[in-house]
Amino acid sequence: MSNTMQEMQTDIGLVNTIVARSALSFIDGENGVLEYVGYDIDDLARNSTFEETTFLLWNKRLPSRSELAEFTEQIRTNYDLSDRMWDIIVSLPRDASPMHALRTLTSALSLEDPGADDPSEEANARKSLAMLTKMPALIAGFDRHRKGLDLVRPDATISLSENFLYMLNGIKPTERMARAMDICLILHADHGFNASTFASLVTISTLSDMYSAVTTAIGTLKGPLHGGANQVVMIMLQEIEGLDSVEEYVMDKLAKKDKIMGFGHRVYKAYDPRATYLKTFAEGIAEDTGNTELFELSKRIEQIMDREVGSRGIYPNVDFYSATTYFSLGIDLDLFTPLFAMSRVSGWTAHCLEYLEDNRLIRPRCDYVGPHQQEYIAISQR
Ligand code: CMC
């Protein structure tokens, strides 16, 4: 039973609306807590792997040792793309943005899947696995193509994170670099009904298909108010001329009511727990790779923001310190958001699979504020 229009509340931006139930991630924005299926994000970042975290999100429980071994095997044997997909990658304009390329390439995966529209649970799980496992090759492949470098085929003996860095750079990463990438993927894997997850649910709720849902999500993630923020954080850090300029830069932006990217969150009014972890982590990597100046700059921005707007609950979010982490790993700025997608595909698909268990079309109303009963005047008389 739905309410009449008079009984409905307008909620612009869906700030106060709960649209469905989920047992995947729990966020306590007041106390800065994030759990995936009840496991604290800090615990997962320290002890889990992206593969195991994905199993957790898809199955709502941790795997046994043999289940993890089997799942890892399934992931690794799915890394490679068909020859046609590699051809599509090299047919793309070299100057295209990687996020546009990733959206197009993810969508293209559906073209060669005869079961793209099969709505069964098994088929949806298979499609989720296909997108999760092939995204690293899509991103790394496009990056090498645009740089005029030879494509690197995946190595089925290594983890998804290690394999991504290998396909991107053509050399195997150090253990520390691969672990850093893996932790970033764990931290970004899921986050309740964020904008891109919600967008994917809107698409799947029409009983469209998993490829369309994830393609929708990638387009939504791209915006600077969502996943696109990490790239803009880095641009900001590069714009600031040194530690002495930070105060003026931040105060000037705040005076103009501009946002400082990487700060603030719709849900967290305390420190984003992912940022707490990434801050310590970014510091270690910055020291290892000699990027301490950028880290110091970030810390200074945070101090000023804390002084000016901390009391309003505006703290660093996940994008603030992930930007310096990715930069220290030698990743190009415009790959930061594709990396976010490479991780969040795990959460997008988990939410779609969960929503389909008890699907209902998502179809909100709008509060119509336009005119009524206008007289139609023929074009010749207007
Ligand atoms: N810098 C300066 N002021 C801010 C910021 C910021 N980063 N974020 C929020 N505010 C102020 C904002 O100006 C507004 O002030 P006032 O009430 O005086 O008009 C107030 O805080 C509320 O902001 P809002 O934009 O209405 O809040 P929201 O809940 O709609 O937006 C947000 C949340 C994430 C869009 C916003 O904080 C923002 O634009 N942050 C910068 C972009 C960013 O870092 N995005 C990544 C989000 S985390 C990754 C993810 O989950 O996607």
Side-chain angles (χ1 to χ4, degrees):
M1 263 271 290
S2 56
N3 291 330
T4 62
M5 281 299 275
Q6 286 73 23
E7 287 166 333
M8 288 183 194
Q9 302 279 329
T10 300
D11 181 14
I12 307 227
L14 301 183
V15 178
N16 293 304
T17 300
I18 293 173
V19 294
R21 295 192 180 88
S22 171
L24 292 172
S25 49
F26 168 75
I27 306 169
D28 175 350
E30 301 302 320
N31 296 302
V33 173
L34 170 62
E35 292 172 349
Y36 296 165
V37 199
Y39 294 94
D40 193 84
I41 193 64
D42 191 58
D43 206 2
L44 291 171
R46 281 177 207 284
N47 300 307
S48 187
T49 59
F50 181 59
E51 285 81 352
E52 185 186 55
T53 298
T54 300
F55 185 100
L56 172 67
L57 290 170
W58 285 356
N59 297 283
K60 297 187 182 163
R61 62 176 177 84
L62 285 173
S64 67
R65 235 188 278 190
S66 61
E67 282 172 329
L68 182 60
E70 195 188 318
F71 186 59
T72 304
E73 181 64 16
Q74 269 181 10
I75 289 181
R76 294 181 180 189
T77 49
N78 266 283
Y79 283 155
D80 211 353
L81 305 174
S82 66
D83 289 345
R84 189 166 31 201
M85 278 307 297
W86 289 110
D87 287 348
I88 295 178
I89 291 178
V90 297
S91 73
L92 296 182
R94 288 183 199 275
D95 58 354
S97 127
M99 260 321 252
H100 286 284
L102 178 64
R103 193 194 52 233
T104 299
L105 292 168
T106 304
S107 179
L109 287 174
S110 71
L111 304 177
E112 54 179 16
D113 182 348
D117 284 320
D118 180 347
S120 68
E121 226 177 285
E122 300 72 48
N124 285 338
R126 182 184 52 71
K127 288 177 256 181
S128 303
L129 186 77
M131 288 184 279
L132 179 104
T133 51
K134 294 182 194 319
M135 248 188 219
L138 300 179
I139 300 168
F142 176 71
D143 188 59
R144 289 188 72 86
H145 158 62
R146 69 175 174 162
K147 290 176 175 158
L149 299 169
D150 289 341
L151 299 180
V152 177
R153 304 291 279 241
D155 179 342
T157 65
I158 54 182
S159 74
L160 188 137
S161 306
E162 196 177 353
N163 186 47
F164 169 69
L165 291 171
Y166 166 60
M167 287 187 290
L168 189 72
N169 300 321
I171 47 165
K172 298 264 166 73
T174 62
E175 209 173 297
R176 202 176 156 89
M177 278 174 81
R179 181 66 189 144
M181 175 58 58
D182 208 50
I183 290 172
C184 287
L185 297 188
I186 294 171
L187 293 174
H188 285 86
D190 194 36
H191 207 237
F193 279 14
N194 57 86
S196 55
T197 300
F198 180 60
S200 73
L201 292 180
V202 172
T203 300
I204 209 67
S205 83
T206 69
L207 300 183
S208 179
D209 69 285
M210 295 296 281
Y211 293 108
S212 299
V214 170
T215 306
T216 304
I218 296 173
T220 308
L221 183 75
K222 186 176 150 288
L225 294 187
H226 189 12
N230 52 15
Q231 183 179 342
V232 192
V233 168
M234 204 58 232
I235 295 171
M236 170 178 79
L237 291 174
Q238 289 180 331
E239 245 171 44
I240 301 177
E241 276 162 8
L243 269 181
D244 293 343
S245 319
V246 179
E247 176 88 26
E248 192 186 338
Y249 183 93
V250 174
M251 294 309 286
D252 188 47
K253 285 240 174 213
L254 291 180
K256 287 198 247 158
K257 291 250 168 219
D258 283 353
K259 292 210 170 129
I260 301 290
M261 289 292 147
F263 281 82
H265 201 276
R266 174 61 64 81
V267 186
Y268 294 119
K269 299 304 164 200
Y271 213 99
D272 180 337
R274 301 165 300 174
T276 314
Y277 189 86
L278 273 171
K279 184 178 176 183
T280 324
F281 195 64
E283 185 169 20
I285 299 184
E287 274 165 12
D288 281 2
T289 55
N291 283 306
T292 45
E293 206 178 307
L294 275 179
F295 184 75
E296 289 306 318
L297 221 57
S298 312
K299 261 193 357 196
R300 185 80 193 106
I301 296 176
E302 186 186 337
Q303 280 163 2
I304 299 166
M305 286 296 278
D306 192 40
R307 186 189 72 208
E308 295 299 319
V309 293
S311 59
R312 295 174 59 198
I314 301 171
Y315 295 108
N317 58 49
V318 69
D319 286 325
F320 192 60
Y321 287 106
S322 65
T324 40
T325 305
Y326 290 151
F327 187 80
S328 298
L329 287 174
I331 292 168
D332 288 353
L333 264 61
D334 57 3
L335 294 184
F336 289 7
T337 315
L339 274 184
F340 195 156
M342 191 172 103
S343 160
R344 188 57 62 85
V345 64
S346 153
W348 291 330
T349 47
H351 279 279
C352 286
L353 297 171
E354 181 184 55
Y355 195 81
L356 283 171
E357 286 167 18
D358 191 13
N359 186 63
R360 183 141 199 223
L361 175 72
I362 298 174
R363 202 301 185 191
R365 308 284 184 89
C366 71
D367 181 12
Y368 176 73
V369 293
H372 292 280
Q373 302 194 335
Q374 300 231 70
E375 188 188 347
Y376 181 83
I377 303 191
I379 188 83
S380 57
Q381 288 158 37
R382 270 181 255 152

